[in-house]
Amino acid sequence: MTARRGQVRVVEAVLAVFMVVAVVLLLMQFTKPLRSVYIRETSDLRRLGYNFLNSMAENNVYEKVLGNLIYEASKRFSSIGRCPEGWEENRLNDLAFFASTVLPQGLLFRVDVYTVQYDLAGGRAVLCPLGYAANFDVGKVSMTEAEPITYTYVCTGDPDRVRGSVLLVHLTIGYSG
Amino acid sequence: METVLEYLAVALLLVVIILAAHQMLSAPAATLDTVRQEQLYTVAERVLDKIVLTPGFPEDWGTNIAVTADNLQDFGLALAGSREPYRVDPDKVMRLANLSTLPNPLLLNASRLAQLLGLEGYGYRLRIVPMLRVIITPIGYYTYGNYRYASTFRVRVENIQGLGVPNANVTGMYVIVRVRPGAGDATVEAKNVSTARALTDALGECVLDFTPSLQQYFSSPRNRPNKWYFTFLIVHVEWRGFASVAGYATNAYGNAPAEGYIIGNYVFVNRAVDPISIKKGNKRSGAVLVKDELLQAVPEYQELLNFTSVVWCRDSTGNFRDDDPLCNNAGKVLPSAKQWYLIGYIRYVEPLASHVFVFAQFRGNPIAIVVNRIPSIDISSERGAVPANAVRLTRMCTVYNYPFLVELTVWREVEGFP
């Protein structure tokens, strides 16, 4: 009788060990460390993005590349009191070419540019889209590791007619696949 | 029988425990690659920030010739005292440059740099290149008397990936300085600046032709063949607000050594070059500083050139001059440079001059030596290494007012190639 009890204890111990090991292994599957790739790449992308937008601002690139559009949007807003329609779908090819030339290869980017117009009668600020620049088909390709950056800029360089215009730039920069 | 079963069960238990322990220890190895790569990113970000955002110590190590690679305490390329981030000191960049034609006398080499940045155990490659690279190729020449000058140039503007940049505004400034040779001192008689403009084509190229300007210049009776003519070309490129500049010695015929370094106020050129003493009016004048910063703002191109004097540290017998305190200073700091270079002290270096043209003689012919103060840098701890696992980071910086890209690639030595 005593010997049989001993055997049962051994079997119990084996089962207990199996259960403990199984639970530990199961938990280990669920508690994998966060994908550090995700953390590291986006942190650098954020710095690169600000660095890129700031570098364009320092060299008055916004005025040179978007000067005519900024002027046209401001003129229309002044005359009709609202933003030109459908401009959010404008492809800013000049800006896209510029960004492709400057940014490192292998990165995807999308830059949405707005002018900030002031409706003095209504006492409000209105964002008028000028369009977007991208180096990929935004309808088909999606970014997996990306960082959004918002940047505000007051035009200070030539052409003179856009001096003082306020721009809001949304940059999304990341990797595909 | 029961005892045997118990022993078997205990043995099985031991095996299971050992296997479980092994499994638990080896499980994190699956994520180790990611973690290791994150470390590389962390290292690269930290090092790149240190390079472009800190000035190093002493802060003036770029211009102070008393600071050598051995006694530099902390490395950083940021312009000391600047309030803007990512503004790089060109004099510090100059310490990393090593021309193929002339070794840098105060070079900070790759192994010392790795030591200063704490990159021992890692391989790295550091590139500092203009955002718009300008390549000047002479394609036509003009001959006058015994002299032959490059007069037509193909200018290519490309980005860091080597892609041609179309629709860039290219302005070329061809400078001729006429000098009357003299027994003791030669005298600057006149300077002439011709300009040409062009837009780059779809491939990022254009042609600047100065042949008609040279023909017109040398047809004047004042410009006789018995004078000396120092000629050089400055090319300024502007594209969508981004600018770049390049210099070219147009009389660099044959194997004339037409390059050099400026560290602080000292200029280092090839020892085969002979110094000449030139006066402009009552002032000594041995070099021209180009204030190309103002190229777009100042329509009068003559105003962009500043003459300054050079004290050459070589006597008439060809030996190093220890009698001049300025020369003696350089001689003490750089004992080997005394023999391997012709050293000069430039009285005034314009802070914003990206190029300095030094007047000298090579085998009896007058030549203008181009000193580019914003050279492109490409240094690597291992030549030709193609690491399997590397991290590359890029930052956009400003040198003078020209946009530059600083690119750092880091990998582990154990994963790279020797």
Side-chain angles (χ1 to χ4, degrees), chain B residues 16-95:
Chain B
V16 168
I17 288 168
I18 288 166
L19 284 176
H22 178 261
Q23 176 70 19
M24 279 187 242
L25 285 174
S26 59
T31 54
L32 198 62
D33 281 345
T34 351
V35 174
R36 285 163 68 194
Q37 201 158 19
E38 187 199 8
Q39 286 170 350
L40 261 190
Y41 256 92
T42 313
V43 167
E45 279 190 357
R46 176 176 58 77
V47 170
L48 190 56
D49 280 353
K50 178 161 181 53
I51 291 172
V52 295
L53 297 174
T54 66
F57 187 82
E59 287 187 342
D60 65 341
W61 68 268
T63 52
N64 187 350
I65 65 160
V67 181
T68 62
D70 295 330
N71 59 16
L72 175 64
Q73 293 177 42
D74 186 33
F75 179 81
L77 294 177
L79 188 66
S82 172
R83 290 182 176 184
E84 292 171 38
Y86 300 113
R87 191 162 279 271
V88 167
D89 187 340
D91 292 309
K92 291 171 186 169
V93 176
M94 181 63 95
R95 291 293 194 98

Side-chain angles (χ1 to χ4, degrees), chain A residues 13-22 25, chain B residues 8-24:
Chain A
V14 170
L15 281 174
V17 167
F18 271 117
M19 282 170 71
V20 168
V21 169
L25 290 179
Chain B
L8 280 174
V10 169
L12 183 66
L13 204 62
L14 278 172
V15 170
V16 168
I17 288 168
I18 288 166
L19 284 176
H22 178 261
Q23 176 70 19
M24 279 187 242

Side-chain angles (χ1 to χ4, degrees), chain B residues 297-312:
Chain B
V298 181
E300 181 51 70
Y301 293 105
Q302 309 271 351
E303 299 303 317
L304 304 176
L305 306 172
N306 261 10
F307 282 87
T308 185
S309 62
V310 181
V311 177
W312 290 110

